[in-house]
Amino acid sequence: MNNIAEENENQKMNTETLEKQETPAPEEKQDASSPEITGEETMEELLDIYESSLKKFEEGQVVTGTVISVGRDSVLVDVGYKSEGQISIQEFIDEEGNVNVNVNDEFEVMIEVWDEEEETVLLSHEKAKKVKVWDAIKDIYDDDGTIEGVITSRVKGGFSVDIGLLAFLPGSQADLRPIRNMDEMVNQTYTFKILKYNKKRNNIVLSRRVLLEAVRDKLRSTTLEAIEDGKVMEGIVKNITEYGVFVDLGGVDGLLHITDISWGRVKHPSELFSIGDKINVKILSFDLEKERVSLGMKQLTPDPWTTAVDKYPVDSKITGKVVSLTDYGAFIELEEGVEGLIHVSEMSWTRKIRHPSQMVTVGEIIEAVVLDLKPDNRRISLGIKQTVDNPWEVISQKYPVGTIIEGKIKNITEFGLFIGIDDDIDGLVHISDISWTKRIKHPSEVYKKSDTIQAVVLDIDKANERFSLGIKQTQADPWESVSQRYEVGKEISGVITNLTDFGVFVELEEGIEGLVHVSEISKENVKSPKEHYQIGESITAKVMNINSDERRIGLSIKRLEEDDDDKYLEDFAKNMKPATSSFGEILRTNIQEQIEANKVQEAQKQDSEDADKSEE
């Protein structure tokens, strides 16, 4: 029933339409191509005439339509056909969900579905726009023109660009140089060249680099004509490396080396520049054939070393900033481009500085004195110890030789003790000046660090900054009175402390030793003392000689035995009864002569040995 009602309604509408067409308004002109109506046609003929008057369309064709209604799901558009065309409402909903279409809006649409039997017409406004874009792309490509678009996102190998259709921009075609941060180009609008397109595959490839190269080539020719040595030009920082900055002068790139950026110290160009900065530079050299341009920025200002002699005379005090430390010293910036060196030897009068970090730190502002200036070599020698008085100039007045001082042991070495005095001055007690008598292998045997001791000032060498002290000098030298305690010829006793191939060392008192030479051990031939004695054994010997300067005492066991023999003879001669015969008198006389001869011989032998030892 509903279908019949719809058919009757449609037939009624068609009849009304025919009636309207049969009686056109007087002011309207009838289309010359329309069949002429005489009024005698049948209904069937009239319907044929009506259908033939309607426009004929094909699928894929783009036509102009007018919105006649906007529904929930679709928009009805009059395209001049007996049935209105439908467009999905989704084509008119924006990102915020608003419907952007109104009744009577007129725009182009594409016929997607055309079914005369079902009287169905499906349209698309979006596809109509794309068709127009494809037509525009063809025209632009044929005319070698350009098109504007927005980079919407990054994709593999490049970018996606909206030019009405989605096109592909390869990464290599996005700029003249590789792009470090590709995300910066997203949502930016650029002008592009169409490299190729394929409508069937829906493929469009763009290039921005081609246009930039054309601009660069045009600028290059102009720039090359303008470049000349010594000229100051404006450029744009294009790239930054650790060794310098590449500057675009207008189609021509120049290198601003790190050494030509500033008269001062530059660790890395990125500290001073960013990509895109506009800077003024000076042309230092230009090779037209290779198109190489060397640039300078520091050359735009005078060289500060030209006035350094007037600003920093020798012996003047300066204030500067510590900019660098090395093993051998610290570099001080006096002004931009002028640096001086404080050698470690010029940092302290008294302390031995192993590294400048013991005295200064980078970034610290310090005072120093100019020691030497060589502007031709761009060198200034500085010192910070010169800002205070030299303690070595007054130390000899404060502690004259012979003064007894007291101090703590600051350091112990194999050759002596370092004693802290004052003003960071250390005095050295050499190992030989620790004791008069003890044989010390290492000072740590007697003292330890931080011990407080007394010592005598022996010598002060200001030139070499040496302060010599002695501990043993605080007491009298026991060897000065040894001859009074051990007279020559005196019989003494001692303990064996050492046995050698050439003799026996005997300790007479603490620190005082005597030597029994192997020849003085016995009348008999002794090859090695070790065969007869042991260390620690007590022996008795006779003092033969004393040399206080060389600290030697000569002893003899053999002489002691010979003295015993002579004494026996003397006692024998004295105890003999008066001679009753000439033989007895002769024997007494011979014994006395023999005793005297032995004494003379002993004295001569002693003198000879003393002479030999003195020659040695």
Side-chain angles (χ1 to χ4, degrees):
M1 292 293 293
N2 292 335
N3 292 336
I4 296 174
E6 289 178 0
E7 290 179 0
N8 291 335
E9 184 66 23
N10 290 335
Q11 186 174 0
K12 180 179 180 181
M13 290 176 62
N14 292 335
T15 303
E16 291 176 354
T17 303
L18 287 173
E19 288 176 354
K20 290 179 181 179
Q21 289 184 351
E22 289 175 356
T23 56
E27 64 273 9
E28 293 180 356
K29 292 184 179 180
Q30 191 171 358
D31 189 355
S33 61
S34 300
E36 185 178 353
I37 298 176
T38 62
E40 298 179 356
E41 291 82 2
T42 62
M43 180 59 70
E44 185 176 351
E45 291 175 339
L46 289 172
L47 289 173
D48 292 338
I49 293 172
Y50 170 70
E51 290 181 357
S52 64
S53 67
L54 295 174
K55 295 179 181 179
K56 299 294 182 179
F57 301 108
E58 296 180 359
E59 292 181 358
Q61 185 177 352
V62 176
V63 298
T64 301
T66 304
V67 177
I68 58 175
S69 68
V70 178
R72 177 180 296 177
D73 300 322
S74 62
V75 176
L76 294 181
V77 180
D78 180 11
V79 292
Y81 185 60
K82 57 185 177 181
S83 294
E84 291 78 11
Q86 296 183 17
I87 301 176
S88 173
I89 193 68
Q90 296 298 324
E91 292 193 16
F92 301 97
I93 297 177
D94 59 19
E95 295 178 355
E96 298 178 356
N98 300 319
V99 177
N100 296 321
V101 65
N102 297 304
V103 175
N104 295 326
D105 284 353
E106 189 175 282
F107 43 73
E108 291 183 330
V109 295
M110 189 185 80
I111 311 298
E112 283 195 283
V113 178
W114 180 274
D115 191 338
E116 291 190 35
E117 294 182 0
E118 298 292 334
E119 295 184 352
T120 301
V121 181
L122 297 180
L123 309 174
S124 174
H125 178 47
E126 293 293 333
K127 291 184 178 180
K129 290 193 293 183
K130 290 182 179 180
V131 170
K132 285 293 184 180
V133 173
W134 279 111
D135 292 341
I137 288 172
K138 179 180 182 305
D139 294 339
I140 292 170
Y141 182 81
D142 292 342
D143 295 339
D144 196 25
T146 60
I147 190 169
E148 196 173 79
V150 179
I151 296 178
T152 58
S153 63
R154 287 180 56 185
V155 295
K156 184 177 180 181
F159 301 91
S160 181
V161 184
D162 183 5
I163 57 172
L165 298 172
L166 286 181
F168 175 63
L169 173 65
S172 61
Q173 297 295 320
D175 208 331
L176 292 173
R177 298 181 182 275
I179 302 170
R180 293 185 177 181
N181 188 358
M182 300 180 71
D183 292 331
E184 292 182 352
M185 298 190 69
V186 177
N187 297 324
Q188 299 295 321
T189 301
Y190 299 101
T191 301
F192 303 95
K193 191 86 169 178
I194 300 173
L195 293 184
K196 60 180 179 180
Y197 73 95
N198 189 317
K199 186 176 181 180
K200 291 182 179 180
R201 296 182 179 180
N202 198 33
N203 182 29
I204 307 169
V205 179
L206 306 177
S207 173
R208 179 170 171 259
R209 177 172 181 162
V210 173
L211 299 177
L212 295 176
E213 287 176 343
V215 174
R216 183 186 63 183
D217 293 342
K218 186 177 180 180
L219 286 173
R220 177 185 287 139
S221 59
T222 303
T223 302
L224 290 176
E225 292 177 0
I227 287 180
E228 58 183 18
D229 291 350
K231 186 174 183 179
V232 177
M233 301 184 70
E234 184 181 72
I236 299 174
V237 176
K238 293 191 65 176
N239 193 21
I240 300 174
T241 67
E242 62 180 6
Y243 57 84
V245 176
F246 286 95
V247 182
D248 182 4
L249 302 174
V252 177
D253 290 348
L255 174 61
L256 174 60
H257 197 269
I258 188 171
T259 57
D260 290 311
I261 292 176
S262 171
W263 292 110
R265 185 185 294 260
V266 179
K267 292 183 179 178
H268 198 282
S270 59
E271 297 176 350
L272 303 175
F273 305 105
S274 298
I275 293 177
D277 287 351
K278 289 185 178 180
I279 60 174
N280 289 324
V281 290
K282 187 174 184 178
I283 309 298
L284 302 182
S285 62
F286 172 52
D287 188 333
L288 181 60
E289 294 182 0
K290 297 181 179 180
E291 293 188 7
R292 289 182 180 176
V293 185
S294 295
L295 307 175
M297 178 176 281
K298 72 180 184 182
Q299 289 79 4
L300 299 175
T301 58
D303 184 353
W305 280 96
T306 56
T307 57
V309 175
D310 298 328
K311 288 184 178 180
Y312 312 109
V314 175
D315 294 331
S316 64
K317 278 190 176 182
I318 58 91
T319 300
K321 179 180 179 182
V322 181
V323 293
S324 178
L325 299 180
T326 66
D327 291 338
Y328 54 84
F331 286 94
I332 313 300
E333 184 182 56
L334 310 185
E335 64 175 277
E336 184 177 344
V338 178
E339 292 182 4
L341 172 65
I342 302 177
H343 194 269
V344 287
S345 62
E346 302 297 341
M347 291 187 170
S348 174
W349 289 113
T350 55
R351 294 174 59 188
K352 291 183 178 180
I353 307 301
R354 296 181 178 179
H355 194 274
S357 58
Q358 296 176 243
M359 296 292 292
V360 296
T361 58
V362 174
E364 182 181 357
I365 304 299
I366 64 170
E367 279 191 350
V369 173
V370 178
L371 305 180
D372 189 25
L373 176 64
K374 296 179 179 178
D376 293 339
N377 297 326
R378 308 174 83 84
R379 291 181 180 177
I380 296 180
S381 297
L382 305 173
I384 54 177
K385 71 182 184 182
Q386 289 79 6
T387 59
V388 296
D389 293 334
N390 183 359
W392 286 98
E393 296 294 333
V394 296
I395 197 72
S396 59
Q397 300 175 6
K398 189 174 182 180
Y399 303 107
V401 173
T403 304
I404 296 179
I405 64 171
E406 187 174 81
K408 287 186 177 182
I409 298 175
K410 295 180 66 176
N411 194 21
I412 299 177
T413 67
E414 61 181 5
F415 56 84
L417 307 169
F418 284 95
I419 313 300
I421 302 172
D422 56 13
D423 294 327
D424 290 328
I425 292 180
D426 294 342
L428 173 63
V429 179
H430 194 270
I431 190 172
S432 62
D433 290 314
I434 292 178
S435 174
W436 288 113
T437 58
K438 290 182 180 179
R439 292 184 179 180
I440 301 172
K441 294 181 179 179
H442 196 284
S444 59
E445 298 174 4
V446 184
Y447 299 101
K448 62 180 182 296
K449 200 172 181 180
S450 298
D451 282 352
T452 299
I453 62 172
Q454 286 187 339
V456 175
V457 178
L458 302 180
D459 183 47
I460 297 177
D461 186 349
K462 293 188 292 184
N464 296 311
E465 297 183 353
R466 292 176 181 174
F467 199 113
S468 299
L469 301 172
I471 296 175
K472 70 182 185 181
Q473 287 80 0
T474 59
Q475 300 173 351
D477 184 357
W479 281 95
E480 292 179 356
S481 59
V482 74
S483 61
Q484 300 173 8
R485 299 193 301 277
Y486 305 103
E487 297 177 1
V488 174
K490 183 177 181 181
E491 182 180 321
I492 60 172
S493 296
V495 178
I496 297 175
T497 58
N498 193 16
L499 295 172
T500 66
D501 292 337
F502 58 84
V504 179
F505 285 93
V506 181
E507 184 180 49
L508 307 180
E509 63 180 67
E510 185 179 0
I512 303 294
E513 289 182 339
L515 173 63
V516 180
H517 194 270
V518 66
S519 63
E520 297 295 333
I521 292 176
S522 176
K523 294 178 182 179
E524 309 228 345
N525 187 14
V526 177
K527 293 183 178 179
S528 175
K530 297 179 182 179
E531 298 176 356
H532 302 275
Y533 300 100
Q534 293 181 349
I535 294 176
E537 181 181 350
S538 296
I539 64 171
T540 302
K542 182 180 181 181
V543 177
M544 302 302 298
N545 57 74
I546 297 175
N547 189 332
S548 298
D549 295 334
E550 297 182 3
R551 299 176 183 270
R552 292 179 182 179
I553 298 178
L555 304 176
S556 176
I557 299 173
K558 181 178 73 173
R559 303 293 175 86
L560 191 60
E561 293 176 353
E562 291 176 348
D563 288 346
D564 290 342
D565 292 342
D566 290 343
K567 185 177 181 182
Y568 173 78
L569 291 174
E570 287 179 359
D571 292 340
F572 177 77
K574 288 178 181 179
N575 294 327
M576 284 183 67
K577 293 180 179 181
T580 58
S581 65
S582 59
F583 176 76
E585 185 63 29
I586 292 171
L587 179 60
R588 180 193 295 270
T589 302
N590 287 339
I591 290 174
Q592 290 178 348
E593 290 178 353
Q594 182 64 42
I595 291 172
E596 293 298 327
N598 288 343
K599 289 181 179 180
V600 172
Q601 186 179 1
E602 181 67 26
Q604 291 176 347
K605 185 177 181 181
Q606 181 64 43
D607 292 340
S608 177
E609 289 179 355
D610 291 343
D612 292 341
K613 289 180 179 179
S614 63
E615 290 177 0
E616 292 177 357

